[in-house]
Amino acid sequence: TDMPKLFTDAGGVAPFAPSASFGRGASPLARRRGSDRRTFDVHFFAMELFRSEAMQLVQLIVPAEAAHETVEELGELGLMQFKDLNAEQSAFQRNYATQVKRCDELARKLRFFREQVEKQQPEWMPLHHDDGALDMPGRTNLLGNGAGSSQRNQRWDMDDLETKLEEMEQRMLEANANNDQLRKSHAELVEMKMVMERASRFFDDARILAEENDDTAPLQTDANLPLERTDSGRPLLEGDSLQRAAMARGLGYVTGLVLQEKMLSFERVLFRATRGNMFMKQAQIEGSLVDPITGERVEKSVFVVFYAGERARAKITKICEAFDANLYPYPEDFSRQGEMNAEVNERLHELSFAIDAGQRQWEDTVSAIAGELSTWIEIVTREAAIFHILNMLSIDVTRKCLIAEGWIPADSKRLIQGALQRASQRASSPVGTVFQPLSTKEAPPTYFQTTKFTLAFQEIVDAYGVARYQEANPTVYTIITFPFLFAVMFGDVGHGLLLTLAAGALVLWERKLGSRKLNEMVSMCFSGRYVLLMMGAFSIYTGLLYNEAFSIPMAIFGGTRFVCSQPDSSLSMFDCPNATTTGLVMGDSGPYPVGVDPVWHGTQTELPFTNSMKMKMSIIMGVAQMTLGIVISFFNQRFFRDRLSMICEFVPQILFLFCLFGYLSLLIVVKWLTGSVADLYHIMIYMFLSPGNVDCAGEGPEGGPGCPENRMYAGQGAVQVLLLVLALICVPWMLVPKPYMLRKEHERHRRGGAYNELTYNEALPEYEEDGVTVVASQSGHGQVEEFDFGETFVHQMIHTIEFVLGAVSNTASYLRLWALSLAHAQLSAVFYDRILVTAMKTGSPALLIVGLFVFAMATLGVLMVMETLSAFLHALRLHWVEFQNKFYGGDGFKFMPFNFATVPGIDEAG
């Protein structure tokens, strides 16, 4: 059908048409909007990722004859999450249980076909398009165009497909059974041939030995005497013919094969079971044979066991069965032996031709199946998904219709209505589907529009918990803050460049890698390729600030203000002998223009300087990110019109954080700007232990100040006392007012008009929109929930204690940025100095190559793998615990629309 004009923009482009610019990770609505660049830009700058999409609960009254087509069109669109209206029924009580079982049976057959195809083509797998749909022959005719699948059943009908699969399964089962039987017969004939060859050698050796000795030597006449060897070189049965002698004395024999590894125990059990009244010859077969039972190649040995009496024969036969020995007849007549040998060879020749012909027939059948298997998997998977959804719908028998309820994005109503209209036209239904929006107090699902770039960051946040409906989404900030905090700990130009190149390769070949089966580790890295790319780029940036590449200092931004104290001006600052002893001296030039001055590297004061700088930098970053979290909580409270939380939570929380740790951050900046030597630890400790006493008054000599350097500005003591008092006031401010205000509001609702139920029943207005009947539905919910003041107060107390203690512990937790950054830099320096530099000092080319190899392996194995994982996990913890707990509820549930691109395959179906 032609696309309705309503669904095209001014340029005639459908906003929801598939676009190659969006990958498989993009959300359905984003892919549909992405076909028009102007549409995408408008929605991108509208910050749709900051809050989840507005959702609408709708009800569909679908005519029974159009139910299948309606669900199919909605599955193509992928924008509706159905509610299960038959949750109280078991799977076997639902209306479409028979059809589901039918699809399960077809899925079983398809799994069998796939196993057969993978035997012939181990690399076979269904090909996918970017939108997640299977690539299959005749896909255009089968699935239709992007607006729907009106021609889906033109090639395969379910009844025809079921008949076809039944026929192909019978053909495959017969072919497999015939091939298995032929191979088993061939293996048995090969074993029989081996038995005849080795047994013939046994008797020939005995005949030759008998001719060389006295032919008249009598056999033992007493049948009860045991048969045993007279010496190690002569067999017991000697004469002109070992076989004739055994026949003359009433002896029998059995021949067969047994696994070589079981031969010793087999012989021992035979000897004990017959009490030594047996004689056995065995010979190992060179190479391996195909076992007729298991079909595996094993090593076996041929044996001949002579016995006397039927009881001994029965025992030997049972023991052979217990050891999985294969017994084969060996004729007593010498002439018959030759005839049997010729028959075996002739049958082996015939079976070889039969096996080749059967194998060719099997391959032809499998090739024919492989050409259609993707199509069949697609059809059965879609049909199973459709009937699963139909089982969630309630049936109105009187009106011959099905009733569906589900969640849709509020701005996709016209897309849903267009799908319903196409379904009615395909089904030739005289009555259209009724589209009815519902109002409810049920919590809607959370739906964020993501692209293949933002998807990995959204999954990092969702791993902590799915956002509540329309609360602020941390992903907007995580896209920048996560790789940045990682880079603070991992900062190095060389290591960041390696990480960027690896991630860039995954991005460059994402289309090729996305269509292949990847192992778990590579698949995990591929899913987070854009996260790794951002992490690498930010690591290069922080490495430029640290001025380090593989722990080697870089002086690419100009000179330094520090010079060597030696009088020889020709000495470089890096060659100055005093650099590691007394240190360098400050010159007349300005500071290093970008980042840390590289002249600090390797000097005596390097660690004290970098430790102080990175530790203070970590505190400032932590306070800044925690402040951002509290500010986001304000936007949440403002969005939900929660003025009580704004006054009783946001205001005291931001004051408490600023009065203590915001003040500490300000002192750090002031110390950097003024060059003060004040001890900030001492200032913060005395701020609590001795408020107002800034310079340790009375602790110095003659009652003077003990630490006058800690006074950084005039009136510092009064300011600190004021900040401390404000911080203490914030604690009961967070704890007490909110529970009492909530109780007061609850009592007011109980006394006032809280119950506004409808007391009349009038016909709701309905109208026709795009061929779909739309009914404006409303429902009144005036029930007031029970209020438990004790529970509310305890909850608020826990929240207050958690924030107060968390403000301290979370600030300290950000010191991991300093610790991990220091560890990464020092570990990299150790590898460089102890491995590479040591190898270079030897002057040996061989040792230099070995040193380069060891340095490269240590860099890749320890720094690029272990350190990357460590920094990633620490950055993850900082976001989950220190940042998100300031504003993020994370107790929502994700919007899971019915979409053919995400339905489970035949392995997971059912």
Side-chain angles (χ1 to χ4, degrees):
T1 60
D2 293 333
M3 184 179 299
K5 202 169 185 179
L6 178 65
F7 299 108
T8 58
D9 61 2
V13 180
F16 53 91
S19 171
S21 63
F22 287 87
R24 201 179 304 172
S27 61
L29 198 54
R31 289 198 298 265
R32 286 160 176 79
R33 289 173 173 170
S35 60
D36 183 15
R37 179 57 57 186
R38 291 170 298 174
T39 305
F40 172 73
D41 289 341
V42 170
H43 286 283
F44 179 80
F45 289 109
M47 291 292 287
E48 287 183 346
L49 194 61
F50 185 66
R51 296 199 185 276
S52 60
E53 288 284 327
M55 306 300 292
Q56 175 66 59
L57 180 64
V58 299
Q59 184 182 76
L60 306 180
I61 302 177
V62 187
E65 64 273 10
H68 185 280
E69 288 75 10
T70 299
V71 174
E72 185 177 13
E73 286 289 345
L74 294 175
E76 288 283 353
L77 193 60
L79 289 174
M80 183 170 180
Q81 175 178 328
F82 288 88
K83 294 178 60 178
D84 190 358
L85 303 181
N86 301 314
E88 71 283 354
Q89 295 181 353
S90 66
F92 302 101
Q93 295 174 331
R94 306 207 177 195
N95 299 293
Y96 294 91
T98 303
Q99 288 81 352
V100 172
K101 290 175 60 178
R102 183 183 177 190
C103 292
D104 290 343
E105 178 63 18
L106 295 178
R108 181 196 61 79
K109 296 177 181 178
L110 292 176
R111 288 193 294 269
F112 169 69
F113 291 154
R114 188 180 59 187
E115 293 174 359
Q116 301 302 311
V117 171
E118 289 176 349
K119 288 181 181 178
Q120 184 191 33
Q121 307 172 18
E123 299 299 327
W124 180 90
M125 64 176 296
L127 300 179
H128 292 265
H129 289 282
D130 288 339
D131 58 357
L134 289 171
D135 186 9
M136 64 193 77
R139 184 176 187 268
T140 302
N141 293 332
L142 180 67
L143 300 181
N145 54 25
S149 55
S150 58
Q151 300 178 352
R152 179 183 180 280
N153 292 324
Q154 286 188 1
R155 183 172 180 182
W156 288 108
D157 182 80
M158 282 299 293
D159 294 332
D160 297 337
L161 179 60
E162 188 173 20
T163 304
K164 181 67 175 179
L165 295 184
E166 183 68 27
E167 177 187 348
M168 297 301 296
E169 184 185 29
Q170 292 299 325
R171 288 176 56 184
M172 285 300 304
L173 291 175
E174 292 176 2
N176 289 339
N178 292 336
N179 288 340
D180 292 343
Q181 185 61 39
L182 290 175
R183 289 190 175 88
K184 180 179 180 180
S185 301
H186 186 272
E188 290 176 348
L189 289 175
V190 170
E191 288 190 348
M192 180 178 291
K193 183 178 180 180
M194 294 294 104
V195 168
M196 296 184 65
E197 290 178 356
R198 297 304 189 276
S200 177
R201 292 178 187 177
F202 294 158
F203 291 114
D204 290 345
D205 292 343
R207 186 181 303 108
I208 293 173
L209 186 60
E211 290 176 355
E212 293 176 354
N213 294 283
D214 185 8
D215 295 339
T216 61
L219 292 172
Q220 296 177 356
T221 57
D222 191 350
N224 295 325
L225 292 178
L227 299 177
E228 57 185 6
R229 294 176 182 268
T230 56
D231 58 61
S232 60
R234 296 177 58 196
L236 173 65
L237 303 178
E238 294 180 350
D240 59 347
S241 173
L242 177 64
Q243 188 173 356
R244 292 179 181 177
M247 293 169 53
R249 307 304 294 173
L251 299 180
Y253 60 89
V254 293
T255 56
L257 297 96
V258 71
L259 290 175
Q260 181 180 338
E261 58 188 18
K262 297 181 178 180
M263 177 54 71
L264 292 178
S265 57
F266 177 66
E267 186 175 5
R268 186 179 300 110
V269 171
L270 283 176
F271 183 83
R272 292 177 179 177
T274 59
R275 298 183 180 180
N277 293 306
M278 68 91 190
F279 173 76
M280 187 178 77
K281 293 279 289 182
Q282 60 94 9
Q284 180 180 349
I285 298 177
E286 298 179 358
S288 58
L289 298 176
V290 178
D291 189 85
I293 306 300
T294 63
E296 299 177 354
R297 301 195 70 85
V298 293
E299 295 182 352
K300 291 189 174 185
S301 296
V302 176
F303 63 88
V304 179
V305 180
F306 294 90
Y307 60 87
E310 288 297 321
R311 294 182 61 185
R313 182 187 67 80
K315 290 181 180 180
I316 293 173
T317 302
K318 290 183 179 180
I319 294 173
C320 290
E321 293 177 357
F323 280 85
D324 297 325
N326 298 330
L327 302 180
Y328 295 97
Y330 186 74
E332 300 176 353
D333 188 0
F334 182 75
S335 59
R336 178 59 183 154
Q337 297 174 9
E339 294 177 0
M340 180 175 289
N341 194 14
E343 291 177 1
V344 169
N345 291 330
E346 182 178 358
R347 289 185 61 189
L348 282 174
H349 184 69
E350 294 174 353
L351 281 177
S352 298
F353 279 104
I355 290 174
D356 293 339
Q359 182 66 23
R360 287 192 298 270
Q361 181 183 3
W362 181 84
E363 291 178 354
D364 293 341
T365 304
V366 170
S367 299
I369 291 175
E372 298 286 348
L373 185 56
S374 294
T375 306
W376 296 341
I377 291 176
E378 171 78 0
I379 295 173
V380 173
T381 301
R382 290 165 60 97
E383 289 296 318
I386 290 172
F387 286 117
H388 174 71
I389 295 298
L390 289 175
N391 272 334
M392 300 170 67
L393 276 55
S394 64
I395 296 181
D396 190 336
V397 181
T398 58
R399 291 189 287 180
K400 297 181 180 180
C401 62
L402 284 79
I403 300 175
E405 291 185 6
W407 292 99
I408 64 171
D411 59 354
S412 65
K413 292 180 182 179
R414 292 190 177 274
L415 300 180
I416 300 293
Q417 293 168 11
L420 299 178
Q421 182 183 7
R422 289 192 300 271
S424 299
Q425 293 174 357
R426 284 178 49 199
S428 301
S429 176
V431 180
T433 300
V434 177
F435 180 89
Q436 180 176 338
L438 300 177
S439 61
T440 179
K441 285 192 174 181
E442 182 181 351
T446 301
Y447 173 45
F448 293 107
Q449 297 183 38
T450 57
T451 65
K452 60 183 180 182
F453 175 77
T454 61
L455 177 63
F457 293 97
Q458 186 65 56
E459 289 181 346
I460 289 176
V461 173
D462 290 344
Y464 176 83
V466 179
R468 294 175 184 172
Y469 177 62
Q470 291 199 326
E471 78 169 332
N473 185 13
T475 305
V476 176
Y477 309 97
T478 302
I479 293 175
I480 300 299
T481 59
F482 184 85
F484 177 72
L485 292 184
F486 168 87
V488 170
M489 297 178 280
F490 194 75
D492 188 283
V493 174
H495 301 153
L497 183 61
L498 293 178
L499 185 59
T500 303
L501 291 176
L506 295 176
V507 173
L508 183 63
W509 298 323
E510 65 180 7
R511 187 179 297 271
K512 182 184 299 183
L513 294 174
S515 61
R516 294 183 178 178
K517 292 181 179 179
L518 306 175
N519 60 50
E520 185 177 359
M521 183 63 67
V522 178
S523 177
M524 181 174 59
C525 295
F526 178 74
S527 300
R529 59 194 181 277
Y530 289 102
V531 178
L532 295 176
L533 185 64
M534 294 286 288
M535 289 160 50
F538 274 87
S539 297
I540 295 176
Y541 168 72
T542 54
L544 290 174
L545 296 182
Y546 296 155
N547 279 301
E548 288 186 352
F550 299 109
S551 77
I552 304 173
M554 302 185 305
I556 61 178
F557 294 108
T560 175
R561 71 184 307 177
F562 294 93
V563 295
C564 183
S565 60
Q566 294 290 333
D568 188 359
S569 60
S570 62
L571 289 175
S572 170
M573 55 184 174
F574 295 107
D575 300 327
C576 182
N578 292 343
T580 57
T581 56
T582 61
L584 303 174
V585 296
M586 186 177 298
D588 298 331
S589 61
Y592 195 74
V594 178
V596 179
D597 196 328
V599 77
W600 288 98
H601 185 81
T603 63
Q604 184 184 20
T605 54
E606 177 189 10
L607 281 180
F609 170 74
T610 54
N611 276 347
S612 176
M613 180 199 66
K614 291 183 178 180
M615 180 173 58
K616 294 179 175 65
M617 177 186 66
S618 301
I619 293 176
I620 293 176
M621 290 180 180
V623 173
Q625 190 174 31
M626 289 190 295
T627 303
L628 175 62
I630 298 176
V631 171
I632 297 174
S633 70
F634 167 76
F635 287 111
N636 272 338
Q637 294 156 4
R638 180 181 177 185
F639 179 81
F640 294 112
R641 296 180 177 88
D642 188 1
R643 296 186 60 186
L644 182 60
S645 296
M646 292 169 58
I647 298 174
C648 298
E649 288 187 357
F650 167 73
V651 174
Q653 286 179 0
I654 199 72
L655 281 177
F656 183 86
L657 186 65
F658 278 176
C659 289
L660 299 182
F661 302 102
Y663 178 66
L664 173 61
S665 301
L666 180 62
L667 292 181
I668 292 173
V669 175
V670 171
K671 182 177 180 180
W672 282 344
L673 294 177
T674 60
S676 171
V677 294
D679 188 349
L680 300 184
Y681 298 113
H682 195 276
I683 292 176
M684 295 303 296
I685 291 175
Y686 266 71
M687 181 176 173
F688 288 92
L689 298 182
S690 180
N693 186 5
V694 178
D695 53 3
C696 311
E699 298 181 10
E702 299 180 358
C707 48
E709 69 277 2
N710 287 349
R711 184 176 295 277
M712 302 179 66
Y713 59 90
Q716 182 177 349
V719 171
Q720 292 183 175
V721 170
L722 176 63
L723 293 178
L724 182 61
V725 171
L726 285 176
L728 294 177
I729 292 175
C730 289
V731 176
W733 190 353
M734 285 185 284
L735 174 62
V736 178
K738 187 175 179 179
Y740 285 96
M741 294 298 293
L742 289 175
R743 184 174 68 173
K744 183 178 179 180
E745 183 179 358
H746 174 72
E747 292 176 350
R748 181 175 60 85
H749 277 282
R750 288 180 58 184
R751 292 193 301 267
Y755 298 93
N756 298 319
E757 298 182 359
L758 293 177
T759 57
Y760 60 93
N761 184 12
E762 60 181 3
L764 296 174
E766 67 177 40
Y767 57 95
E768 192 79 13
E769 183 175 323
D770 303 319
V772 179
T773 303
V774 180
V775 179
S777 174
Q778 57 180 331
S779 59
H781 299 272
Q783 183 178 359
V784 179
E785 298 180 358
E786 290 295 330
F787 180 80
D788 189 342
F789 176 77
E791 181 180 354
T792 304
F793 190 85
V794 170
H795 179 271
Q796 190 66 22
M797 182 173 59
I798 294 174
H799 182 72
T800 302
I801 295 174
E802 181 183 10
F803 178 83
V804 172
L805 297 181
V808 180
S809 62
N810 292 348
T811 304
S813 181
Y814 277 94
L815 293 177
R816 71 184 68 237
L817 297 174
W818 156 54
L820 268 292
S821 176
L822 177 65
H824 183 83
Q826 293 302 309
L827 195 59
S828 179
V830 167
F831 289 157
Y832 173 74
D833 294 334
R834 302 302 179 185
I835 299 177
L836 191 58
V837 174
T838 302
M840 294 171 63
K841 288 181 178 179
T842 60
S844 172
L847 291 179
L848 179 59
I849 294 175
V850 173
L852 285 172
F853 176 77
V854 175
F855 177 74
M857 292 299 101
T859 300
L860 293 177
V862 178
L863 297 177
M864 295 305 299
V865 177
M866 296 178 61
E867 282 288 305
T868 300
L869 181 60
S870 175
F872 179 91
L873 294 176
H874 283 284
L876 190 65
R877 182 244 155 77
L878 290 177
H879 280 77
W880 280 359
V881 179
E882 278 70 30
F883 174 52
Q884 292 180 188
N885 71 347
K886 301 295 185 297
F887 66 96
Y888 190 60
D891 54 358
F893 61 98
K894 188 179 295 186
F895 177 58
M896 302 293 291
F898 172 55
N899 193 338
F900 286 133
T902 59
V903 294
I906 57 176
D907 291 322
E908 298 87 3

